[in-house]
Amino acid sequence: MKKEWMYVVLTSLFELLWIFGFNVASSWWHWIIIVTIIAIDFHFLSKACESLPTGTVYAIFAGAGAIGTTLMDIFIFEGEFNAIKGLFMIILILGVIGLKLADNSSKVQVQTKGENV
């Protein structure tokens, strides 16, 4: 895995950590840990955006956060799962994959145009 994609994975994981922290924080020092995790998360997000398209990085970041938070709610906090949640999670995953494929497609077109010049 390339370094820039590792940053995307790390920012997605740290996002889930601070969201989990929001649900379990009960004292002031928990909030210090959460703020630290948020700072680390945004560091990885900015590093990923240095070499990858920001739209693609943010789509993956937001999609992983939305799906991860929903799964965390279901499996850790005993939330409810239903078919509608599952459907929208699938749509979200397809949207993120579509954006990634569209990004790769535009890179190929730009490289092809550059070769013809």
Side-chain angles (χ1 to χ4, degrees):
M1 178 179 289
K2 292 184 178 181
K3 182 172 60 171
E4 58 267 13
W5 286 106
M6 185 57 78
Y7 289 135
V8 174
V9 169
L10 288 171
T11 192
S12 298
L13 289 174
F14 274 84
E15 178 184 25
L16 294 176
L17 285 174
W18 62 261
I19 290 171
F20 176 79
F22 280 176
N23 286 297
V24 298
S26 60
S27 67
W28 65 269
W29 64 270
H30 292 157
W31 291 102
I32 292 172
I33 294 170
I34 292 168
V35 169
T36 303
I37 291 172
I38 290 171
I40 294 168
D41 180 30
F42 282 103
H43 168 74
F44 288 134
L45 181 63
S46 67
K47 293 299 282 182
C49 289
E50 287 177 2
S51 53
L52 294 170
T54 302
T56 301
V57 171
Y58 187 74
I60 294 169
F61 171 78
I67 291 170
T69 302
T70 301
L71 293 174
M72 191 184 327
D73 185 46
I74 293 166
F75 292 112
I76 297 174
F77 300 111
E78 300 175 9
E80 181 182 314
F81 179 79
N82 57 45
I84 298 296
K85 281 185 183 180
L87 173 68
F88 284 115
M89 286 173 35
I90 290 169
I91 290 170
L92 187 57
I93 291 168
L94 292 174
V96 170
I97 291 170
L99 281 170
K100 174 66 177 124
L101 293 174
D103 182 49
N104 286 345
S105 172
S106 66
K107 284 183 182 177
V108 170
Q109 289 175 355
V110 168
Q111 288 174 351
T112 303
K113 288 180 182 178
E115 290 173 0
N116 292 334
V117 174

